[in-house]
């Protein structure tokens, strides 16, 4: 049960009910297309006259199209309805410390364009380059209306100011990304933490059933981010900083983290941690190689994954060590939150057949609450981040409206 906030509420009107019904119909079409008006009435419980009125409105606004006519042996032949996936485009931008990925998607979340570029060293240069590329794509696709731009960041965004305020692995100054990109493109911009974007991706586009209402995404990259959907709602906290489990210290004597703390979860379980484990096993420290005869230190996690895939013993040991610490942190999430599902996102999922059993074994050893949490791997990075940030923009049309 959600308590009514008497300091921030909207009373229901006749338009509120119509808006809710419209969103229900639109989501049913999206999920079950092609679908007839009669089936929409059965699925929704709405009267056929109400369904007809809403669908005619959606057709006139080009959100829905009519397709084939059913070949029934008798009676009135129903016309099937489809979501007009080409009605609008959404830009998704996923910023990582080294690489920025961008996609233009349609209403189904299908990518029409996907590309990448090196992440600029400053926020100002990023704003200039990404805005120019978005303007170019808008000119190439003038037939589309554009719902907006979603930007996924490896840090936290302040809900009130919409500025990113905590991104230790990115190193940018705190610029007003939202307003500057909006001014440069003319489109609405939504900023979100990458882990929250991953949680939204799984919630909107994942393979789990509609009964999954408590879901956690663990985004593993240069750091570790945690996105939480609890009781069907994304948890951000009052300032947008909820979920920074990657910066919870699990050892006071551990290495210093980019956030300034010591022994954070991410210094043991991130891509950067696995690279450190591997290089230390080969005689390299952060300062120098202790023995020049050893193989050169590596700085690219993809290279470490390739070495492990080809059976390199020290690479596999480093991955196992990373997986063990991933399990330690996830045991904390299972014990404290008992979600239906934890989804791991990142390049490490390429080795899930090796990593998954280690993670699950540690969770079983360390969590005694009898929670029935399933732990699984998501699709290849950066797809979950891009799909999630696109889902954030789509929520304006398909999400449940906030009232009371």
């Amino acid at each position: 049960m959600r308590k009514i906030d008497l300091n921030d509420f909207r009373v229901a009107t006749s338009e509120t009910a119509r808006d809710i019904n419209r969103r229900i119909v639109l989501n049913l079409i999206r999920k079950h297309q092609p679908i007839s008006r009669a089936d929409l009435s059965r699925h929704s419980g709405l009267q056929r006259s109400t369904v007809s009125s809403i669908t005619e409105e959606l057709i006139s606004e080009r959100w829905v199209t009519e397709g084939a006519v059913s070949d029934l042996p008798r009676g009135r032949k129903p016309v099937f309805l489809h979501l007009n996936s080409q009605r609008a485009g959404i830009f998704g931008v996923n910023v990582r410390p080294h690489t920025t990925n961008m996609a233009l998607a349609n209403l189904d979340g299908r990518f029409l364009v996907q590309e990448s570029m090196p992440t600029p060293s400053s926020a100002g240069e990023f704003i200039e380059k990404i805005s120019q590329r978005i303007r170019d794509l808008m000119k190439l696709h003038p037939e589309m209306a554009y719902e907006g731009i979603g930007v996924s960041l490896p840090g936290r965004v302040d809900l009130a100011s919409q500025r990113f305020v905590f991104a230790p692995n990115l190193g940018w100054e705190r610029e007003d990304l939202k307003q500057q990109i909006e001014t440069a493109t003319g489109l609405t911009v939504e900023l979100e933490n990458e882990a929250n974007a991953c949680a939204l991706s799984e919630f909107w586009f994942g393979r789990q059933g509609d009964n999954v209402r408590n879901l956690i995404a663990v985004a593993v990259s240069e750091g570790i981010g945690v996105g939480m959907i609890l009781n069907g709602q994304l948890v951000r906290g009052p300032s947008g900083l909820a979920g920074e489990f990657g910066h919870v210290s699990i050892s006071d004597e551990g290495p210093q983290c980019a956030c300034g703390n010591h022994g954070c979860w991410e210094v043991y379980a991130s891509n950067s941690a696995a690279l450190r484990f591997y290089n230390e096993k080969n005689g390299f420290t952060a300062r120098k190689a202790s023995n020049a005869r050893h193989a050169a230190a590596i700085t690219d996690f993809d290279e470490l994954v390739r070495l492990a895939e080809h059976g390199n013993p020290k690479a596999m040991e480093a991955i196992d060590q990373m997986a063990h610490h991933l399990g330690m942190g996830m045991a904390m999430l299972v014990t404290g939150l008992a979600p239906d599902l934890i989804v791991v996102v990142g390049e490490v999922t390429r080795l899930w057949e090796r990593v998954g059993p280690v993670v699950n074994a540690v969770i079983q050893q360390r969590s005694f609450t009898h929670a029935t949490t399933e732990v699984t791997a998501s699709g290849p990075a950066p797809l979950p981040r891009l799909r999630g940030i696109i889902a954030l923009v789509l929520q304006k049309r398909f999400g449940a409206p906030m009232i009371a």
Side-chain angles (χ1 to χ4, degrees), residues 222-235:
E222 293 78 12
I224 288 183
V226 173
M228 301 176 290
I229 291 179
L230 303 178
N231 294 326
Q233 302 220 15
L234 182 65
V235 177

Side-chain angles (χ1 to χ4, degrees), residues 209-262:
D210 291 339
N211 61 318
V212 173
R213 305 285 292 167
N214 299 279
L215 179 154
I216 292 177
V218 178
V220 184
S221 56
E222 293 78 12
I224 288 183
V226 173
M228 301 176 290
I229 291 179
L230 303 178
N231 294 326
Q233 302 220 15
L234 182 65
V235 177
R236 293 187 175 103
S239 61
L241 299 179
E244 279 300 332
F245 289 94
H247 293 287
V248 172
S249 178
I250 61 175
S251 173
D252 291 339
E253 306 302 321
Q256 186 171 18
C257 179
C259 73
N261 198 5
H262 282 267

Side-chain angles (χ1 to χ4, degrees), residues 133-210:
R133 187 58 190 139
I134 288 172
R135 290 195 300 266
D136 291 343
L137 287 171
M138 290 170 68
K139 290 178 182 177
L140 288 173
H141 299 274
E143 74 284 359
M144 301 186 82
Y146 291 94
E147 285 290 289
I149 305 166
V151 181
S152 165
L153 294 161
R156 294 290 165 175
V157 177
D158 180 77
L159 290 180
S161 66
Q162 275 291 291
R163 292 173 180 260
F164 73 95
V165 295
F166 183 72
N169 293 314
L170 193 56
W172 286 355
E173 296 296 325
R174 297 182 183 180
E175 295 220 25
D176 190 346
L177 297 181
K178 175 180 169 64
Q179 183 176 352
Q180 292 189 59
I181 297 175
E182 286 180 343
T183 300
T185 62
L187 300 178
T188 302
V189 173
E190 302 283 345
L191 305 181
E192 189 53 90
N193 165 261
E194 65 169 352
N196 287 347
C198 292
L200 286 169
S201 173
E202 194 65 31
F203 196 60
W204 279 82
F205 300 113
R207 294 162 292 180
Q208 81 283 345
D210 291 339

